[in-house]
Amino acid sequence: MPNHKKISSYFGKRSSPTAYASSFHKGIDIPAPPGTNIYAAMSGIVVLAKFNGSGGCTVTIQSGNIYTSYCHVSPNFLVSPGVYVEKGQIIAQVGPKNVYGFSDNKYKDNNDNPTNGATTGPHLHFAVREDSTYLNPLNFF
Ligand SMILES: [Zn+2]
């Protein structure tokens, strides 16, 4: 997200900001308004584009054994599994805090409205893993 470079939460240990949010943060958080374009950090194949538990609406791209995930994105997905995307291509937009219609969503805000995974407000959660081991994205990008 070219105009959004502030990181509100870094990779690693933290105190959990909301119910069910992990106390080991497996990525970095970059706040941005809903609708902000998200550009692929790596080329690869889309392997997941759906509501995915604590990550909320999530897009995951596989580049060999490296997986990059973009969480809490808009439920209006711009890519679908099996599609090849280029680095720098718009692959999603930042999602709203609240999303509706996902029956497997247990995450709610203080007003009991369903949230876009474990989130307290619109932001991109960006994660990198090598196979199943999460790595600090700032060591890559
Ligand atoms: Zn996060």
Side-chain angles (χ1 to χ4, degrees):
M1 299 190 293
N3 297 318
H4 300 277
K5 301 187 188 301
K6 184 177 158 269
I7 295 173
S8 60
S9 182
Y10 286 87
F11 180 86
K13 272 197 179 145
R14 67 174 180 181
S15 56
S16 181
T18 180
Y20 307 114
S22 174
S23 59
F24 189 93
H25 194 217
K26 296 177 188 150
I28 57 174
D29 291 341
I30 306 168
T36 302
N37 287 329
I38 300 168
Y39 297 79
M42 288 178 87
S43 303
I45 304 282
V46 176
V47 292
L48 184 144
K50 64 169 190 168
F51 187 89
N52 192 42
S54 64
C57 295
T58 299
V59 171
T60 300
I61 296 169
Q62 179 178 10
S63 314
N65 65 340
I66 301 293
Y67 296 78
T68 43
S69 287
Y70 306 79
C71 300
H72 315 302
V73 304
S74 168
N76 302 314
F77 290 102
L78 303 180
V79 295
S80 47
V83 168
Y84 177 82
V85 296
E86 292 275 2
K87 177 181 178 179
Q89 181 179 334
I90 296 172
I91 44 121
Q93 295 180 319
V94 174
K97 175 185 163 192
N98 297 107
V99 294
Y100 300 89
F102 296 105
S103 57
D104 54 343
N105 185 4
K106 67 178 180 181
Y107 300 95
K108 290 183 161 90
D109 64 15
N110 294 335
N111 300 319
D112 221 29
N113 291 316
T115 57
N116 194 351
T119 182
T120 56
H123 71 282
L124 169 65
H125 171 97
F126 178 62
V128 178
R129 61 186 161 88
E130 182 174 7
D131 295 318
S132 58
T133 303
Y134 284 90
L135 305 170
N136 187 346
L138 297 182
N139 293 341
F140 280 76
F141 301 102

